Amino acid sequence: MATTPTSPGAARQVLSDSDVARSLTRIAHEILERNHGSDDVVLLGIPTRGVPLAERIAARMAATEGRESLPVGALDITMYRDDLRGQPTRTLGLTTLPGAGIDDKVVVLVDDVLFSGRTIRAALDALNDLGRPRAVQLAVLVDRGHRELPIRADFVGKNLPTARAERVRVQLTETDDVPDAVTIADGAARRAGDAVSSDGAGQDTPGGRVGGAAVETGEEAQR
Ligand SMILES: O=P(O)(O)OC[C@H]1O[C@H](OP(=O)(O)OP(=O)(O)O)[C@H](O)[C@@H]1O
Ligand SMILES: O=c1cc[nH]c(=O)[nH]1
């Protein structure tokens, strides 16, 4: 879909609901191809919007494989953030692991936006406290560049070239009660001379406590 031009400072839509649907379908197929099927694959969404995205991708993978469901859960990274000291009042999210756990599984982390990479760094630390996956892969709906850590996504819905000060906003029916959309807000916060990212963005590519966060395990976490 073409980017919708708007006045400076306004948000412009870069992905519509059908674009989001197509991207998730492609990611589902790419995960299956990379892993030669869905055996041992566990999807963990990172709250907030990574969770419904993981559920949607898992549903697509299951449908393709003729399975009823695939193991899917949520991984809260709040207590593993590296900026907790500056923002001590963050609300804890829920970590829900499928019944079979993550040991020796291929864990696919799912998030809506990949930016600095710090959320994913925190997710890897959170995973480390929960088990030892055979491999960890990363799927994101949008990679907007500007990485601050050596982290890259294995599966990308859309690479978006952005200026650092811009803000990519993902809205989903499950979390925002509006049709799916991805927008970029520009203008107001953008600094003069801020370069557009050049790190690969811009191309479409085919119940306990751990670390302070609540953890749930069990079959009910399988969807
Ligand atoms: O690569 P990074 O620089 O870490 O940025 C990406 C993260 O930022 C957003 O989460 P946010 O912390 O805004 O929380 P939310 O998902 O609850 O909106 C987004 O959902 C990613 O998880
Ligand atoms: O633009 C951004 C940066 C981080 N997280 C988002 O959701 N959007």
Side-chain angles (χ1 to χ4, degrees):
M1 174 191 155
T3 299
T4 310
T6 55
S7 55
R12 64 188 191 281
Q13 188 174 96
V14 288
L15 292 182
S16 67
D17 54 356
S18 56
D19 296 324
V20 171
R22 266 193 300 275
S23 294
L24 297 180
T25 298
R26 180 168 47 74
I27 288 172
H29 285 110
E30 288 177 358
I31 294 171
L32 288 171
E33 197 172 330
R34 171 82 63 93
N35 295 292
H36 310 289
S38 60
D39 287 349
D40 291 337
V41 174
V42 173
L43 287 98
L44 293 183
I46 300 174
T48 306
R49 292 171 186 79
V51 177
L53 291 176
E55 290 169 350
R56 290 196 208 177
I57 292 169
R60 283 160 161 82
M61 290 171 62
T64 302
E65 294 263 280
R67 295 189 175 197
E68 203 171 301
S69 66
L70 286 183
V72 60
L75 182 67
D76 181 56
I77 59 97
T78 308
M79 294 306 293
Y80 298 85
R81 296 181 65 100
D82 60 10
D83 60 356
L84 265 187
R85 216 173 302 160
Q87 296 169 292
T89 55
R90 281 185 173 264
T91 312
L92 290 184
L94 195 65
T95 290
T96 55
L97 294 186
I102 59 169
D103 284 343
D104 294 323
K105 306 290 186 194
V106 175
V107 171
V108 181
L109 297 173
V110 181
D111 207 354
D112 56 347
V113 178
L114 179 58
F115 179 45
S116 69
R118 289 177 188 272
T119 297
I120 302 306
R121 196 280 312 151
L124 293 171
D125 278 0
L127 265 189
N128 197 43
D129 277 351
L130 294 172
R132 188 179 186 280
R134 185 166 85 231
V136 182
Q137 299 168 359
L138 173 62
V140 295
L141 180 60
V142 171
D143 180 352
R144 57 159 296 190
H146 301 287
R147 216 75 77 241
E148 296 170 5
L149 297 169
I151 282 169
R152 65 166 182 81
D154 299 277
F155 312 103
V156 179
K158 177 84 176 169
N159 284 296
L160 280 181
T162 61
R164 183 177 288 277
E166 286 176 323
R167 176 87 190 164
V168 173
R169 184 172 182 213
V170 174
Q171 292 175 291
L172 302 174
T173 50
E174 297 95 325
T175 51
D176 304 282
D177 209 18
V178 294
D180 297 344
V182 178
T183 54
I184 300 184
D186 62 4
R190 189 170 171 167
R191 297 183 296 265
D194 200 0
V196 167
S197 62
S198 59
D199 45 5
Q203 312 262 327
D204 278 290
T205 56
R209 281 203 165 251
V210 174
V215 177
E216 278 187 359
T217 59
E219 292 303 321
E220 75 282 358
Q222 294 226 19
R223 281 174 216 120

